[in-house]
Amino acid sequence: MSAKAALIWSPFASEDDAAAAATVLLDEGLVACANIMPAMRSLYQWLGERGDSRECGVLFKTEAGLLARAIARLEEIHPYDAPAITGWEADLCGAATAGWLAGLGASED
């Protein structure tokens, strides 16, 4: 059995916040992996003002069928009031990755 891969990108204020969210999504079987990338500088426009802050980014790997649920759950648990969360289905992935992701949600009815 194989699956179609999907990815979710979201910034967090700290590695601890990112790890806490990743732990919830992993425990709930909504993602297979979370790559936490520390020391990211974010320059942005928000509410009419320019911002410059240090954040860390997280790339979550999931199965395409779980993408909407994983994003919705991440919105619920993310510590930001208005988190930036972007998800997309991957056009292609390796056979090993597809096999790995196929196990997500397997215990659900």
Side-chain angles (χ1 to χ4, degrees):
M1 179 182 198
S2 65
K4 186 166 182 181
L7 302 167
I8 302 167
W9 170 258
S10 186
F12 288 81
S14 71
E15 286 185 63
D16 289 341
D17 287 346
T23 297
V24 170
L25 296 179
L26 285 162
D27 287 349
E28 294 180 3
L30 294 172
V31 301
C33 179
N35 299 119
I36 299 173
M37 295 163 258
M40 179 174 76
R41 183 177 178 188
S42 295
L43 303 173
Y44 54 90
Q45 189 75 23
W46 178 249
L47 300 175
E49 296 190 17
R50 180 64 59 96
D52 184 345
S53 62
R54 298 288 176 183
E55 294 179 297
C56 69
V58 182
L59 184 65
F60 299 94
K61 296 178 187 91
T62 190
E63 198 278 321
L66 295 173
L67 183 59
R69 286 181 44 210
I71 288 173
R73 185 66 172 128
L74 182 55
E75 281 187 305
E76 291 174 358
I77 63 173
H78 201 293
Y80 287 173
D81 290 336
I85 301 169
T86 306
W88 63 96
E89 293 183 17
D91 291 334
L92 298 170
C93 69
T97 300
W100 175 41
L101 295 175
L104 284 175
S107 62
E108 296 179 16
D109 295 324

